[in-house]
Amino acid sequence: MKHYIDFHRDVSFEDLDYLLDTAIDLKAKTKAGIEHHLLKGKSLAMIFTKSSTRTRVSFEVGMYQLGGQALFLSNNDIQIGRGETIYDTANVLSGMVDGIMIRTFKHQDVEDLAKYGKIPVINGLTDDQHPTQVLADLLTIKEHKGTLKGLKLAYLGDGNNMANSLLHACAKAGMDISVASPADYSCPEKYVIEANEDAKVTGSKIVMTTDPFEAAEGADVIYADTWTSMGQEAEKAARVEIFKGYQVNSKLMGVAKSDAIFMHCLPAYRGYEVTEEVIDGPQSVVFDEAENRLHAHKAILVNCFLN
């Protein structure tokens, strides 16, 4: 049984190559109209306690294209929303479906589903990590740049779940990464340490800084995320003031390489973490990145269900 919960722990160097190759192959088949029902007869329970556009659509359509079935389960629809334990939920679903994808707040809930259940568990997002997104990000970068190893990605803003998983993914792929965040909003040391473990193998260089222009200098990829994640809405006004110096605009893009691409996991808030001229400009690949969620997630499903 293979889980996809923590990119550092659950994705080996060999797994990463396999996942990217599979995603590229499945995307080509999709574009060519070639049927690829690799998961015929399989079912995926999708638990959502956080709202979603891209995660829900990509996994639901992905299971359909792979010949399987996806079941949408919000916390308002199932007993977990009324206090049923993770232990009971994991054991019940293990007897009815072939896998679970969960998008939720507490990372420990995902770990516990895997601990108590008997089927693969996929982390569709927690407050700590977003490992499914970063596979789509790597796929997008590879499509636009032709390679991953040796490139530099600069992440600007909150040291949140997205930044944590990008540290994991870039180190695993041999990409340099610079993360620029205000001093009190940097990534937890745990994720920096884990990324450095993989960087020792791949040669990736990891830089943590408070200076957005230092991070963006010579970057091949500029990456932004919302300043106010789900559950932080009450902090929005304060966060806008704290992060205003980390906005991705034409001045900041100007210190990156001339052919740098701009990425954002979406949803994006124009005028805050990124200006309209950047996200809607020629260097932006955000909609390629969003589309690649479908193909990356299909590769994850195949890897978890069949390998």
Side-chain angles (χ1 to χ4, degrees):
M1 180 172 61
K2 300 192 75 170
H3 300 298
Y4 189 94
I5 297 172
D6 177 301
F7 200 93
H8 170 70
R9 182 192 66 204
D10 296 328
V11 181
S12 69
F13 299 107
E14 295 77 14
D15 286 338
L16 179 55
D17 290 337
Y18 170 82
L19 286 164
L20 288 171
D21 289 345
T22 301
I24 291 167
D25 177 63
L26 295 178
K27 182 174 183 177
K29 284 182 168 64
T30 302
K31 298 294 185 183
I34 299 172
E35 188 177 275
H36 44 286
H37 288 176
L38 302 176
L39 300 184
K40 186 176 181 180
K42 300 289 186 181
S43 56
L44 176 73
M46 305 190 306
I47 301 174
F48 287 86
T49 65
K50 280 189 172 186
S51 59
S52 169
T53 299
R54 283 150 292 276
T55 300
R56 178 178 177 179
V57 173
S58 59
F59 273 105
E60 194 161 335
V61 173
M63 280 299 290
Y64 171 79
Q65 291 184 355
L66 290 167
Q69 180 184 16
L71 299 88
F72 173 77
L73 306 171
S74 79
N75 61 326
N76 295 320
D77 301 321
I78 59 175
Q79 297 300 328
I80 200 170
R82 298 178 59 203
E84 184 170 53
T85 65
I86 294 292
Y87 176 86
D88 288 355
T89 300
N91 278 281
V92 168
L93 291 178
S94 291
M96 296 183 178
V97 299
D98 299 290
I100 300 169
M101 189 283 298
I102 180 169
R103 179 181 174 93
T104 192
F105 292 89
K106 290 173 59 179
H107 189 81
Q108 190 59 48
D109 286 350
V110 185
E111 297 284 1
D112 287 346
L113 273 176
K115 177 182 178 180
Y116 298 126
K118 302 174 182 66
I119 52 178
V121 173
I122 297 169
N123 175 7
L125 176 142
T126 66
D127 286 346
D128 293 354
Q129 298 189 40
H130 199 354
T132 54
Q133 173 68 53
V134 292
L135 185 64
D137 295 338
L138 294 181
L139 175 61
T140 305
I141 295 166
K142 189 168 185 176
E143 285 180 340
H144 283 270
K145 295 297 183 180
T147 188
L148 296 174
K149 191 170 179 61
L151 297 180
K152 176 184 176 180
L153 182 146
Y155 174 90
L156 310 171
D158 192 11
N160 60 13
N161 51 7
M162 197 66 249
N164 296 336
S165 286
L166 281 169
L167 280 170
H168 283 167
C170 288
K172 192 81 71 171
M175 293 177 61
D176 296 341
I177 179 170
S178 294
V179 177
S181 306
D184 294 332
Y185 293 85
S186 187
C187 297
E189 187 66 17
K190 169 183 185 291
Y191 296 106
V192 180
I193 292 171
E194 289 175 347
N196 273 300
E197 290 175 9
D198 286 334
K200 290 177 183 177
V201 178
T202 64
S204 170
K205 181 181 179 182
I206 297 168
V207 174
M208 308 299 291
T209 180
T210 58
D211 186 341
F213 285 89
E214 177 190 352
E217 179 71 35
D220 300 280
V221 182
I222 300 292
Y223 202 113
D225 190 14
T226 179
W227 293 338
T228 307
S229 298
M230 282 177 279
Q232 299 172 336
E233 288 78 9
E235 306 171 31
K236 181 175 180 180
R239 282 177 164 268
V240 168
E241 186 64 25
I242 291 166
F243 289 104
K244 64 183 181 181
Y246 294 81
Q247 182 187 73
V248 178
N249 49 39
S250 57
K251 182 179 179 181
L252 190 137
M253 290 295 294
V255 304
K257 288 184 180 176
S258 59
D259 63 347
I261 57 175
F262 172 75
M263 302 182 74
H264 193 302
C265 60
L266 303 179
Y269 300 92
R270 291 163 174 80
Y272 290 91
E273 70 269 16
V274 61
T275 59
E276 186 174 329
E277 64 183 345
V278 172
I279 194 170
D280 297 321
Q283 290 174 276
S284 176
V285 298
V286 298
F287 297 118
D288 292 344
E289 182 184 3
E291 179 188 345
N292 278 337
R293 292 283 295 276
L294 171 63
H295 311 295
H297 293 178
K298 285 196 292 186
I300 292 168
L301 288 164
V302 170
N303 188 45
C304 287
F305 280 44
L306 298 185
N307 293 328

